[in-house]
Amino acid sequence: MKKLFLTLVLVSASTTLLKADTLVIKGSDTLGAKLVPQLAEEFKALHPGTTFDIAAEGSTTGIAALTDGTAQIGMSSRPAKPEEISAASAKGVNLKPTTVAYDGIAVIVNSANPIKGLTKRQVEQIFTGEVGDWSAVGGTGGKTSIYTRNTSSGTYSEFKELAMKKRDYAPDSQKMAGNEQIAAEVSKNPNGVGYVGLAYTKAQGIKVVPIDGALPSKESVLGKSYPYARPTFYYTNGDPTGLVKEFVDFTLSPAGQKIVEQVGFVPVK
């Protein structure tokens, strides 16, 4: 009987291994550094045997991975570009967006910076390099040190669109891999300025600057009174099915949207 029981356990274990599903999710650091890993942990608790492969290297990489078939979900903090949609279509991939959370791109400075607020025009001038000293926008003298995301980032593109009238970043701006890296650099540099998603505004040594009197919050993002509000997305190849659909549905469920809010994003429901 013991031998038979052991055989049954081994068969059961091997069957479980065969059924183990891996969900490959790539793209946005804004979503992928904090939110999606937490959603994945909760999902795994409800679906034992599911594993996740999450790579947060920028929205562009997520859409490219979905197009190439190396990811089942592409995380993105911006809408897909027309050329990305065309490239995907050429490979038989239909880029289908699902809005999973709303976000506000917060402008941050070092906590020692005396700046009390900025106008949209001043933000544009700072990040394009038109203004290069804090004294020009009501601060104490000192050359501005600008930290941005890298070019594969959706936040890099969205901030350019929302805050800079599509103008180029200052030539001496420093490109960072993620939100946490920007916050870390600004916290160390009294003249630092950068931007991060809402979920990254609690970092030590930084403060969020009001823009035309508005701070990014659940209310200002939903009410669109904050100028740099945006949706964030999961991209799938057409309507999601199977395990992909289960994870998308979980993200949009009350339990998933509770995690969205806890992490610092604004729920869609």
Side-chain angles (χ1 to χ4, degrees):
M1 284 296 289
K2 285 183 180 178
K3 190 173 181 180
L4 178 60
F5 178 74
L6 181 59
T7 303
L8 288 171
V9 169
L10 288 172
V11 169
S12 176
S14 63
T15 304
T16 301
L17 287 172
L18 287 170
K19 286 183 177 177
D21 290 306
T22 298
L23 197 51
V24 182
I25 305 176
K26 297 182 180 181
S28 166
D29 168 82
T30 300
L31 290 174
K34 285 186 178 183
L35 176 58
V36 172
Q38 290 196 33
L39 288 166
E41 285 304 310
E42 193 66 30
F43 186 83
K44 282 193 289 187
L46 300 170
H47 300 78
T50 304
T51 57
F52 285 82
D53 179 357
I54 301 170
E57 298 169 341
S59 301
T60 299
T61 65
I63 292 171
L66 185 63
T67 299
D68 294 341
T70 56
Q72 294 145 289
I73 295 176
M75 303 175 285
S76 186
S77 59
R78 61 163 174 82
K81 298 174 182 176
E83 58 268 29
E84 290 172 325
I85 295 170
S86 297
S89 182
K91 291 192 174 184
V93 174
N94 172 25
L95 294 179
K96 166 88 175 181
T98 300
T99 302
V100 294
Y102 291 105
D103 191 21
I105 307 175
V107 176
I108 59 168
V109 296
N110 186 277
S111 55
N113 192 320
I115 284 285
K116 295 287 193 292
L118 293 167
T119 65
K120 285 188 287 185
R121 175 66 179 145
Q122 287 171 330
V123 171
E124 179 190 343
Q125 289 173 320
I126 288 168
F127 281 90
T128 57
E130 191 178 328
V131 162
D133 196 284
W134 285 109
S135 60
V137 290
T140 52
K143 187 180 184 304
T144 55
S145 293
I146 302 164
Y147 298 96
T148 78
R149 292 290 307 284
N150 57 38
T151 55
S152 67
S153 158
T155 306
Y156 178 93
S157 302
E158 280 293 271
F159 193 76
K160 199 172 178 178
E161 178 95 18
L162 294 169
M164 298 165 60
K165 297 178 182 171
K166 301 183 181 180
R167 296 171 65 189
D168 288 332
Y169 287 93
D172 60 351
S173 60
Q174 300 172 69
K175 294 180 175 64
M176 301 284 115
N179 289 271
E180 290 170 334
Q181 289 87 342
I182 289 180
E185 291 301 319
V186 171
S187 74
K188 293 185 287 189
N189 186 342
N191 291 319
V193 60
Y195 50 73
V196 294
L198 265 177
Y200 305 88
T201 56
K202 304 300 183 188
Q204 295 293 312
I206 65 168
K207 68 178 183 180
V208 179
V209 181
I211 309 301
D212 284 338
L215 282 166
S217 67
K218 181 179 179 180
E219 291 72 28
S220 67
V221 166
L222 286 176
K224 298 182 179 177
S225 59
Y226 185 69
Y228 312 139
R230 53 153 179 196
T232 63
F233 309 96
Y234 288 167
Y235 273 91
T236 54
N237 182 4
D239 291 326
T241 59
L243 186 64
V244 174
K245 183 180 189 305
E246 287 184 46
F247 186 67
V248 172
D249 287 347
F250 172 72
T251 299
L252 295 174
S253 73
Q257 290 293 294
K258 184 178 179 182
I259 295 169
V260 165
E261 189 160 24
Q262 286 171 345
V263 171
F265 289 83
V266 178
V268 295
K269 298 186 177 184

